[in-house]
Amino acid sequence: MSFSHESASKHVTGEAVYIDDILVNDQLLVGRVVYSPHAHARILSFDLSEAQKVAGVHAVLCHKDIPGANQMGPVVKDEPCLAADEVICVGQAIFLIAAETEEQCLEAERRIKVEYRPLDPILTLEKAIEHQSLLIPPRTMLRGEPDKALSESEHLLKGELRTGAAEHWYLETQVCLAVPGEGNELTVYASSQHPSETQALIAELLGIRRNEVVVEVRRMGGAFGGKETQGNHTACWSALLAGVTRRPVKIRLCRDDDQKITGKRHRFLSRYEAGFDNDGMLRALKVELNSDGGCATDLSIAILERAMLHVDNAYYVPHCSVVGNLWRTNLPSNTAFRGFGGPQGIAVMETVVDRIARVLKKDPSEIRQKNFYGIDSRNVTHYGQTVEHNRLFLLYDQLMASSEYARRRKETDTFNNSHEFLKRGMAITPVKFGISFTTSFLNQAGALVNVYGDGTILVNHGGTEMGQGLHTKIQRIAAAEFGVSVERVKVNATNTSKVPNTAATAASAGTDLNGMAVKNAIDTLKGRIAESMALYFSEQHKGDPSRPDTLVFEDDSIRDSKHPDRTISFVEAMGMMFARQVSLSATGYYKTPGIQWDKARGWGHPFNYYAFGMCVSEVEVDVLTGGHTLLRTDILHDVGDSLNPLIDIGQVEGGYIQGVGWCTTEEIKWDEKGNLLTHSPDTYKIPSVQDIPKDFRVSLLKDVPNPNAIRKSKAVAEPPLMLGFSAWLAIKDAVSAVGNHDLEPDFSLPATNEVILLAVERIKDEVKARRGAGVEV
Ligand code: MTE
Ligand code: MOS
């Protein structure tokens, strides 16, 4: 059943209330964060006295003004809220200012005096490796005997792959409004994927108790992982200023500051060795992943783990070893970004499979299909989990047919033979993505459902809305469980005083977890209501009682399935509940069953289930400029029984395009001092309308109910991002056509115009050299 996003009309009319739209009184102060201009330096001294004198300034704070713990680290306590005597990246917060106007803040900032002694920063993965600047000890996963299997393989491939960082580019930059109440009370309107963590960190920072801090999230103007931990920072800074001044304080980062201060997708330097046979079957794979964690741990351990868990993507590798290294550099701490390490791991495997095809001069689609996980055999991953409900073959067969791959492949070849300066390329790539937090205990959720006497329903749950349509899906779930129309259900802003102690809305599991918690709360309510209504029907039919277990909730009414004449409208029934002394408020709780994961061994069953998708992209590359155009994209994606096809298709389209951005145009650059050079939309190129494929066909796989999630649905959010690889590999295919597919292009990610052009030039040079040597090319 499709209906539009619950806030769609509010989004487009501007009625939707974001934090910057919340009305506050004239007590509101503007907050500002003053951050480090050095990637690495000692703070020798500072003087805030002149800044404090600026008229209208209410506070200029340093680390000494923090009443509680100077910490914002979500997992490891290695991230001070305000730097004390050392700064470890450009953008690290050192001071906070609250003033009546922005101009006063800026004036105060100009008057702050700081004396630094610059230290040598680590700004590249190479230097981090050279200095053995590890954040954690290396991690490993192993299945079989990869060294032996490599030595016995008919063919060997070796290589190195760089995948770049990326900026989240949520439309609403980091923002928070903190409003003090009486005593220590603080209400914090945060743009955070993880309100419970925001609440906990603020309480620790201010040295107050969690029951004195309420964090509320109505909606975020996009997050994409960038507000899983990084939303806490702006929230902590605002809360600290509000706590000290006892005035409401709002901090909103301007775009440039947001890009400079916040962490990004982890860039990786990966090395691989693969062994395969003459048929293109993978025998063995050894991978070393080097992740740039930035200056602190943040979520990097779990992100590296997910990368390691996804180096197989959709393919069975009998003998496999993965080493994961997490390096500390002097850049802002890198963080969650849609896919959470998965894309970085999958990029390696997709490169390997593509290269196997090029070595054997076969169509990559054929090599891919051959190596897919099997249905009944060859179906155990390199970490021991069996791939159940494998949709890869269904997707492949249907998509190869619907995209007319074979015919278009021939046309592409014909086109390439008759065009010198334009080359076309195609690629089909799959995604298999594990659904669940790999930190197993995070797989839990809570809900509070209230029904009112007018028959309206108010749902509170622990998940947050960032545009992905979680609240719309929850609304649908609640309506379906109660058997009432969707209009009856409203989903409240997420609030830590209504549903406490929740996990982040992340890992694509928002609907799976919170939907189940909501269902559990509704089951409790329906039990109570059914009991009372069975009594009510029995009172009316003396001698022939109704039983609670035969009552059904359907069509906005409650009726006895054994006695068709006994029916009452939902509204009328709810109107009677108060007089009949029935509580219409219940909590629900859910934790995912059946997950177990031995982190130390890298073995177990970390995922509740897998999501699958597949994509065919066709591109045209201009070999004179390195520019490319996406001509056509066909996607078939598995979302189980969709809770809302419109929203799911939106997620698939958006995920794919976001992936294409990461794979092609989004390039992050720092200068040799660690200053971000690409800190605004004029230097950092996210996809725009012109980058959408000219012909874009997205469908959902039919008749594939998922037994492991609410109402047989399936998570959708992150996996489609990884379908962007098909565009990346289609570009590689087009470049390969420059050398008539005899020479392999060398490719890093993103494939920017420069990368494409250089790859083209290398191939042209090689062709020339071979012709000079009399080799037929
Ligand atoms: N879609 C929109 N429109 N905006 C977002 O910020 N974040 C993505 C994805 N889709 C995001 C989005 C990420 S990183 C995740 S983990 C999921 O949504 C989170 O929501 P879910 O678990 O409810 O799907
Ligand atoms: Mo998404 S990266 O799990 O917030």
Side-chain angles (χ1 to χ4, degrees), residues 640-772:
D641 281 352
S642 177
L643 284 166
N644 188 319
L646 270 181
I647 284 186
D648 284 344
I649 285 180
Q651 284 291 295
V652 175
E653 290 175 346
Y656 170 76
I657 296 292
Q658 199 165 34
V660 169
W662 175 57
C663 287
T664 58
T665 60
E666 297 186 35
E667 188 179 30
I668 293 200
K669 287 196 164 173
W670 292 271
D671 70 9
E672 73 290 349
K673 293 194 163 144
N675 294 298
L676 183 67
L677 295 171
T678 47
H679 51 75
S680 64
D682 52 0
T683 46
Y684 185 73
K685 169 83 180 77
I686 59 169
S688 64
V689 277
Q690 284 106 323
D691 300 302
I692 296 169
K694 305 269 163 296
D695 186 352
F696 198 11
R697 310 182 187 195
V698 178
S699 339
L700 304 175
L701 187 65
K702 291 199 176 63
D703 303 322
V704 281
N706 172 27
N708 298 315
I710 178 85
R711 302 190 76 78
K712 309 257 182 288
S713 68
K714 196 172 248 199
V716 56
E718 294 172 282
L721 182 133
M722 283 146 273
L723 298 177
F725 289 129
S726 66
W728 182 60
L729 291 172
I731 293 173
K732 185 173 169 183
D733 188 50
V735 174
S736 170
V738 173
N740 207 16
H741 300 291
D742 283 324
L743 303 160
E744 201 198 330
D746 187 15
F747 249 61
S748 54
L749 187 155
T752 57
N753 289 14
E754 291 87 340
V755 167
I756 295 172
L757 198 56
L758 284 172
V760 167
E761 291 302 320
R762 269 193 301 269
I763 289 196
K764 284 186 181 165
D765 288 348
E766 178 75 5
V767 169
K768 263 190 222 141
R770 287 192 179 195
R771 285 222 176 98

Side-chain angles (χ1 to χ4, degrees), residues 56 64 142 192 198 234 289 322 348 373 415 432 489 516 550 624 663 728:
K64 292 178 205 153
L142 175 70
S192 165
T198 309
T234 308
L289 301 174
V322 192
V348 177
Y373 276 108
F415 179 92
K432 164 186 129 289
V489 184
M516 278 294 194
T550 61
L624 298 177
C663 287
W728 182 60

Side-chain angles (χ1 to χ4, degrees), residues 178 329 354 356 469 506 532 568 578 599 616 646 739:
T329 59
D354 188 80
I356 293 176
S532 175
I568 182 167
F578 187 61
K599 271 186 195 293
V616 176
L646 270 181

Side-chain angles (χ1 to χ4, degrees), residues 360-378:
L360 298 176
K361 306 246 179 287
K362 298 235 164 94
D363 192 303
S365 63
E366 196 187 308
I367 302 298
R368 290 204 153 79
Q369 188 216 24
K370 260 193 189 143
N371 283 287
F372 282 159
Y373 276 108
I375 306 286
D376 299 313
S377 60
R378 298 167 35 85

Side-chain angles (χ1 to χ4, degrees), residues 222-225 338 466-468 470 505-511 651 717-718:
F224 306 109
R338 201 171 193 169
M466 56 195 97
Q468 85 278 39
L470 171 59
T505 306
S508 307
T511 305
Q651 284 291 295
E718 294 172 282

